Amino acid sequence: MDLPRIFTIRESSHRIHNPFTAGKLATLGQALDLTPGTRVLDLACGTGEMLCTWARDHGVTGTGVDISTVFTEKARARAAELGVRDQVTFVHDDASGYVAEEPVDLAACIGATWIGGGVAGTAELLGRSLRPGGLMLIGEPYWLREVPDQETAVNCGAGAKEDFLLLPELVGQFGELGYDVVEMVLASQDSWDRYQAAQWLNLRRWLDAHPDDELAAEVRAELTTEPVRYTRYQREYLGWGVFALTGR
């Protein structure tokens, strides 16, 4: 049970595995007015940057769950680096079936709603760990504008145009699921660039260091095509944001 190697190679220098900068992550924590002792569950937590920095800056406690052994090891190291090992725990597990033993104040899935088969299933999963009146965070892509064809959708990471919604429709979907949207922080074009372009450097440095690895051909192919794909399609059509929800 682990992520494919290509994913951890691609994001090897990343502390945040989505198109947020450290500044945007800090803005989100401030916007939520987090208080010391807030109990957090972060499903598909990656290398744990949200939990670790919020533990340091706001005094939260909590658990992060991720399927990657590489990421959970890095998350524990980050907790030690920031001096918050007594506040946060990281678990190597399949987040798609993970429910907290006790209800939490904040349940999050930031950019990995595939763990619940989409937004609705992920909200249902998070809700199983959330105390009444608690806060839910969902990070999700959305279309910046109408997508002209299936080719564009696929090149933006969607299986079909219907996989993502325009921003007003996504916000409306949360309401249809029974939640009020009480905050949101959106990625910018620059933060998207920082997320995507950093991957190209990661790929090239890995390829230079591992030319004979069994993944070398796959990494070379990705490095050759990704800059063009991103600038032609994803940069123009795909947005991303984190939405804070409370049940109605």
Side-chain angles (χ1 to χ4, degrees):
M1 182 177 64
D2 214 327
L3 283 177
R5 284 178 65 211
I6 186 66
F7 190 93
T8 54
I9 292 168
R10 185 187 302 127
E11 304 214 358
S12 57
S13 71
H14 290 43
R15 283 182 173 166
I16 301 171
H17 303 279
N18 56 61
F20 259 17
T21 60
K24 284 190 174 289
L25 189 60
T27 295
L28 178 62
Q30 294 163 3
L32 298 177
D33 194 24
L34 298 169
T35 57
T38 297
R39 296 164 298 167
V40 179
L41 175 67
D42 187 6
L43 296 184
C45 67
T47 49
E49 190 70 1
M50 185 176 80
L51 260 180
C52 289
T53 56
W54 287 2
R56 177 196 62 191
D57 297 340
H58 302 285
V60 308
T61 64
T63 300
V65 182
D66 202 275
I67 200 170
S68 169
T69 53
V70 172
F71 285 174
T72 50
E73 288 173 5
K74 286 187 174 183
R76 294 181 189 116
R78 183 64 167 155
E81 178 185 359
L82 297 184
V84 295
R85 283 189 300 181
D86 59 338
Q87 295 169 247
V88 295
T89 301
F90 293 99
V91 178
H92 173 237
D93 204 347
D94 184 355
S96 64
Y98 194 93
V99 177
E101 294 182 2
E102 297 182 2
V104 299
D105 303 307
L106 189 158
C109 176
I110 308 300
T113 56
W114 58 81
I115 69 171
V119 169
T122 299
E124 190 278 331
L125 175 63
L126 292 172
R128 291 161 62 188
S129 295
L130 192 62
R131 67 164 176 80
L135 194 65
M136 182 181 298
L137 296 181
I138 291 183
E140 181 71 1
Y142 58 87
W143 296 127
L144 294 171
R145 53 194 174 99
E146 293 286 351
V147 177
D149 50 43
Q150 180 73 357
E151 178 185 5
T152 300
V154 170
N155 277 287
C156 288
K161 290 194 290 184
E162 296 76 19
D163 285 357
F164 303 144
L165 302 172
L166 292 167
L167 181 58
E169 295 171 353
L170 177 58
V171 171
Q173 182 185 24
F174 293 133
E176 293 168 1
L177 293 172
Y179 294 93
D180 288 323
V181 178
V182 296
E183 254 296 357
M184 70 177 188
V185 178
L186 305 181
S188 65
Q189 193 167 79
D190 180 67
S191 64
W192 261 117
D193 291 347
R194 298 282 32 83
Y195 175 56
Q196 292 289 152
Q199 295 178 11
W200 311 334
L201 185 58
N202 292 338
L203 292 171
R204 179 53 194 261
R205 284 177 170 169
W206 183 91
L207 190 62
D208 288 347
H210 305 86
D212 299 321
D213 191 279
E214 61 183 3
L215 282 182
E218 182 178 351
V219 171
R220 164 41 61 196
E222 183 168 319
L223 181 57
T224 300
T225 59
E226 279 304 290
V228 173
R229 183 201 62 80
Y230 171 68
T231 52
R232 178 172 291 165
Y233 296 103
Q234 188 169 323
R235 198 172 191 267
E236 298 299 318
Y237 288 96
L238 197 63
W240 191 89
V242 178
F243 304 86
L245 316 173
T246 56
R248 291 177 177 170

